[in-house]
């Protein structure tokens, strides 16, 4: 149902004006990732779109929040809602109307270069976090854009690969997060670059029109990913409403180099391209640079709505009613947030960036998402311990991975800053090995000056000497991940493993703090005293690390992804990943992440849901409250405050016809903070989908019989069982 205002505008807009509202243009302010000019005659304002999942990305600084995986590792959707609201306020302060996030593709492949922008290998965790972030963003009057719809689970060949995945698997694993985000009120959804079962996601009528719009009732805007279209008529008829960024390849070059500054070389490159679009012998050509690692779409394909859509409508190839629907959807979002009459949502907060609350939240998320993987008692550190802070990048904060989520903060704390500010003992610093460079798809346009940094003064010997003299050695290691490319290996880059080995040999109280996008290889695991997964902690890196290492805060995080040796993941098969002949076959079906390790009795290095507290907990007295709720008592049995994450897994009765099911599925969870000695009754709501399965003929189906719900602090530690009869 369109509002009267939107109906009126649709009747007054000309065909040309309507088409202008179906595609982007270059931002007149040069700050937004996307821009749709308004229609002045009818007081329709311009709309600005900015990334992204980790912070507001414009040409000005903003709070650089931790990676999405750090957020989900908190297992606390309330924190996610607060984060979404802060993100919305920062967007408002930067005059942005639409946020290009959250990213919520399921973590199917541990190597995927964008996993740090996503939440989990599990659809319930993904859905709850996506919904909370959407709710927070939308509560500020800013439109949220869950992305990338759908099955965009790898960056290798992301612009061309076809995810070959059957309907049941799509419905049970890859679609639920989007549905939850839509139900939470997302005003937009971004289609992905890849194909799904052969059809490009931007023109997938079954997914965009039949599932998303007709079945789920989504009345918002489906926008393309940037240059992520392959046709005009196909996308419009398939259900795409907004083509982004809507500019030509030449305008792209101009916007990268600044208006009017296009060099002669770039002009020549442009001319050459016109004659030989597939030529790759112009390495300095920024558009060829756009082909980074095979992961970016070609901006010269896909056609432009602005030139072709009006003709297609006039020729009857795209019904005019479809064009009205496309425009009506955008106007509805503007109307909903009061942008058509300038009233903004009455309850929307003021825009604000870099407030004390946002800085505090950035640190809190980093702390709450930190996962203590192993600890032989070295942590927490005592206040007066003499510590060595070691690692190639200890003098800089790990803000995030590369790509459209990169955010520039006002201020950041490095590990050295954080430890020095907290330690009461001495702090020695040794980088040990050359810096691990940030990687970014933007390198093709803006080469990183740091690449030439002088590393001649670093040596492992210095790190060993520092470690020998210290009570504890803290080694910070990191991976390299970026949009548009996958990690080639889960091994840490550079000589970091050698560094850890050498330090561990010199000090048996060596703690490894890992700043990674996901699982990583730990050949030295048995030789160190503690391992901490800190993901990408954002601007508060150092202070958050210090808070956890010294025990000022309990490490609140649990693993939202399984850590295992790389050849034991279900995607360790070329046909599945990165795919063969342009297709990635999702042959593992439902057995992604812990579902796979459970089904195969595999032994992960650290299972899904794992993470340690400095306190200890007892779980007891579980009962089924009703057919989708369980309750139990949790007691902190330690003499210090702490936090545990209660997890409930559903094992449903066998499905008819021997239909395979995963051994168990996460149904619900809750992060519980308890003072020393405190106990509390905790109630968990279980997701209906954990009881059900998607049946091709009947849709979501719950089989009758005993559904056993097992409860505990990780997927591999579930001391309590209750049975729910359905
Ligand atoms: C990314 C999107 C992003 C867009 C705009 C694309 O490269 O895939 O996630 O929102 O750029 O920056």
């Amino acid at each position: 149902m369109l509002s009267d205002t939107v109906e009126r505008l649709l009747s007054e807009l000309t065909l040309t004006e309507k088409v202008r509202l179906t595609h982007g243009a270059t931002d007149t302010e040069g700050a937004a990732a996307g821009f749709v000019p308004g229609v002045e005659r009818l007081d329709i304002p311009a709309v600005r779109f900015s990334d992204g999942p980790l912070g507001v990305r414009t040409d000005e600084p903003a709070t650089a929040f931790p990676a999405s995986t750090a957020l989900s590792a908190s297992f606390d959707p309330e924190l996610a809602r607060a984060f979404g609201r802060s993100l919305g306020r920062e967007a408002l302060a930067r005059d942005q109307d639409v946020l290009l996030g959250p990213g919520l593709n399921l973590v199917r492949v541990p190597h995927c270069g964008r996993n740090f922008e996503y939440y989990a290998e599990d659809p319930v965790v993904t859905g709850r976090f996506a919904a909370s972030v959407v709710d927070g963003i939308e509560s500020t009057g800013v439109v949220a854009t869950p992305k990338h719809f759908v099955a965009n689970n790898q960056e290798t060949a992301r612009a061309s690969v076809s995810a070959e995945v059957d309907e049941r698997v799509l419905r049970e694993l890859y679609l639920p997060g989007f549905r939850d985000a839509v139900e939470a009120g997302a005003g937009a959804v971004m289609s992905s670059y890849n194909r799904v079962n052969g059809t490009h996601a931007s023109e997938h009528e079954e997914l965009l029109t039949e599932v998303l719009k007709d079945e789920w009732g989504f009345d918002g805007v489906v926008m393309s990913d940037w240059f992520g279209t392959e046709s005009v008529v196909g996308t419009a008829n398939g259900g795409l409403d907004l083509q982004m960024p809507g500019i030509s390849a030449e305008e792209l070059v101009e916007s990268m180099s600044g208006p009017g500054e296009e060099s002669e070389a770039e002009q020549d490159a442009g001319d050459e391209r016109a004659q030989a679009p597939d030529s790759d012998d112009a390495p300095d050509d920024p558009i060829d640079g756009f082909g980074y690692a095979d992961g970016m779409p070609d901006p010269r394909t896909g056609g432009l709505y602005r030139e072709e859509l009006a003709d297609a409508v006039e020729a009857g190839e795209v019904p005019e009613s479809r064009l009205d629907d496309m425009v009506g959807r955008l106007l509805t979002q503007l109307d909903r947030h009061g942008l058509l009459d300038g009233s903004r949502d009455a309850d929307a907060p003021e825009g604000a960036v870099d407030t004390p609350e946002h800085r505090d939240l950035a640190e809190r998320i980093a702390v709450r998402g930190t996962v203590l993987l192993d600890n032989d008692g070295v942590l927490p550190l005592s206040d007066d311990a003499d510590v060595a802070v070691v690692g190639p990048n200890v003098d800089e904060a790990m803000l995030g991975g590369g790509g459209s989520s990169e955010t520039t903060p006002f201020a950041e704390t490095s590990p050295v800053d954080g430890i020095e500010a907290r330690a009461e003992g001495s702090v020695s610093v040794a980088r040990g090995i050359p810096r691990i460079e940030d990687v970014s798809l933007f390198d093709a346009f803006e080469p990183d000056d740091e690449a030439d940094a002088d590393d001649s003064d670093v040596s492992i010997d210095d790190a060993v000497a520092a470690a020998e003299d210290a009570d504890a050695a803290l080694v910070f290691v990191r991976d390299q991940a970026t949009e548009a490319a996958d990690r080639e290996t889960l091994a840490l880059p550079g000589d970091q493993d050698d560094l850890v080995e050498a330090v561990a040999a010199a000090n048996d109280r060596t703690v490894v703090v890992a700043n990674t996008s996901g699982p990583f290889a730990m050949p030295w695991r048995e030789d160190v005293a503690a391992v901490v997964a800190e993901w990408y902690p954002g601007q508060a890196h150092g202070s958050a690390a210090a808070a956890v290492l010294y025990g000022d805060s309990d490490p609140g995080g649990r693993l939202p992804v399984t850590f295992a040796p790389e050849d034991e993941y279900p995607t360790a098969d070329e046909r599945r990943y990165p795919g063969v002949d342009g297709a990635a076959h999702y042959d593992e079906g439902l057995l992604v992440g812990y579902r796979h390790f459970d089904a195969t009795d595999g032994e992960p290095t650290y299972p899904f849901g794992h993470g340690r507290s400095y306190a200890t907990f007892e779980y007891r007295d579980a009962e089924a409250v009703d057919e989708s709720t369980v309750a139990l008592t949790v007691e902190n049995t330690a003499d210090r405050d702490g936090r545990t994450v209660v997890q409930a897994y559903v094992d449903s009765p066998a499905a008819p016809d021997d239909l395979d099911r995963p051994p168990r599925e996460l149904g619900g969870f809750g992060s519980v903070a308890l003072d020393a000695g405190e106990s509390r009754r905790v109630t968990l709501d279980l997701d209906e989908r954990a009881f059900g399965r998607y049946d091709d003929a009947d849709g979501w189906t719950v089989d009758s019989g005993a559904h056993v719900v097992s409860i505990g602090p990780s997927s591999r530690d579930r001391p309590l069982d209750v049975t729910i009869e359905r």
Side-chain angles (χ1 to χ4, degrees), residues 15 20 119 125 212 305 382 423 482 512 694 702:
L15 177 67
R20 256 192 12 230
Y119 297 120
V125 176
L212 175 63
Y305 273 18
S382 58
T482 179
V512 176
Y694 189 84
V702 175

Side-chain angles (χ1 to χ4, degrees), residues 131-154:
S132 301
V133 171
V134 164
D135 185 35
I137 294 172
E138 293 272 350
S139 76
T140 65
V142 171
V143 173
T145 314
K147 64 188 187 184
H148 310 83
F149 191 76
V150 61
N152 179 186
N153 306 107
Q154 64 187 60

Side-chain angles (χ1 to χ4, degrees), residues 3 5-6 9 21 36-39 43-49 97-98 138 141-143 187 219-221 242 327-345:
S3 72
T5 312
V6 173
L9 288 172
L21 292 170
V36 174
V39 180
D43 289 333
I44 298 173
V47 190
R48 291 193 160 78
F49 304 63
D97 309 294
V98 180
E138 293 272 350
V142 171
V143 173
D219 66 356
V221 178
L242 188 60
V327 177
R329 286 169 176 273
L330 180 66
L331 294 178
T332 296
Q333 293 311 310
L334 303 185
D335 193 29
R336 188 162 78 99
H337 288 308
L339 293 175
L340 291 177
D341 61 6
S343 66
R344 279 270 179 207
D345 291 358

Side-chain angles (χ1 to χ4, degrees), residues 33 51 100 114 147-148 158 190 193 225-226 404 483:
D51 285 295
L100 304 173
R114 289 189 95 168
K147 64 188 187 184
H148 310 83
R158 67 169 170 171
M190 186 187 292
Y193 282 134
D225 199 344
W226 268 229
S404 54
E483 172 181 344

Side-chain angles (χ1 to χ4, degrees), residues 291-311:
Y292 182 86
D294 202 18
M296 292 303 278
D298 188 333
R300 289 160 291 203
T301 58
L304 288 171
Y305 273 18
R306 70 182 191 200
E307 283 150 14
E308 296 166 47
L309 189 56
D311 291 347

